[in-house]
Amino acid sequence: MLRSPSIKSLKTLFGENAPRAKALLRMNRDQLLRTPIGKARAAECYHPPSTQDIRMECLNALGEFHGVEGFKTHRGWCMYLNAGDTYTPTLIRFNLSYQIACWGDIVERHGAK
């Protein structure tokens, strides 16, 4: 299982939806595809989206975010929920873990391609 923030930490981003966010972080692909957002994401893609793509889209719908975005570094892909500002803490998937951080800090540390 991938590492992910605690419910207490998730409350800073998702408020009362933090337990639901934690549940989404624990779901496997089949469970994610059974959610309304997961089903819709899979239906709108020509090629099957990755599990992390589906998960991030489901999480995006829980909070006040502006979509899922990403960039490539020399250490791999970084996906994040767009919180509106480079240095606003958000949920990030990087290095096989989910964390609450600012995506701008990752760009500074690891560079973007």
Side-chain angles (χ1 to χ4, degrees):
M1 181 186 298
L2 297 174
R3 292 182 311 176
S4 64
S6 67
I7 291 176
K8 182 179 178 182
S9 296
L10 290 168
K11 280 187 181 184
T12 62
L13 300 177
F14 296 99
E16 295 300 315
N17 285 328
R20 179 73 178 137
K22 188 66 174 181
L24 287 168
L25 288 166
R26 291 178 174 158
M27 286 182 183
N28 64 35
R29 182 180 182 83
D30 290 337
Q31 292 169 321
L32 290 166
L33 287 170
R34 284 189 226 122
T35 67
I37 301 296
K39 187 181 292 187
R41 179 65 178 153
E44 72 186 7
C45 295
Y46 183 76
H47 295 286
S50 66
T51 301
Q52 64 259 18
D53 179 279
I54 297 166
R55 187 183 325 279
M56 291 295 279
E57 288 293 339
C58 291
L59 290 162
N60 179 65
L62 280 184
E64 295 181 21
F65 302 104
H66 308 286
V68 177
E69 298 184 9
F71 58 90
K72 189 173 184 178
T73 73
H74 68 278
R75 296 191 65 195
W77 278 94
C78 176
M79 295 180 74
Y80 63 94
L81 300 179
N82 183 347
D85 185 84
T86 307
Y87 293 99
T88 298
T90 188
L91 186 69
I92 295 174
R93 183 185 186 277
F94 185 61
N95 288 341
L96 301 176
S97 70
Y98 290 89
Q99 55 191 291
I100 296 174
C102 304
W103 68 266
D105 292 338
I106 291 175
V107 170
E108 287 180 12
R109 213 172 303 128
H110 302 288
K113 291 184 176 184

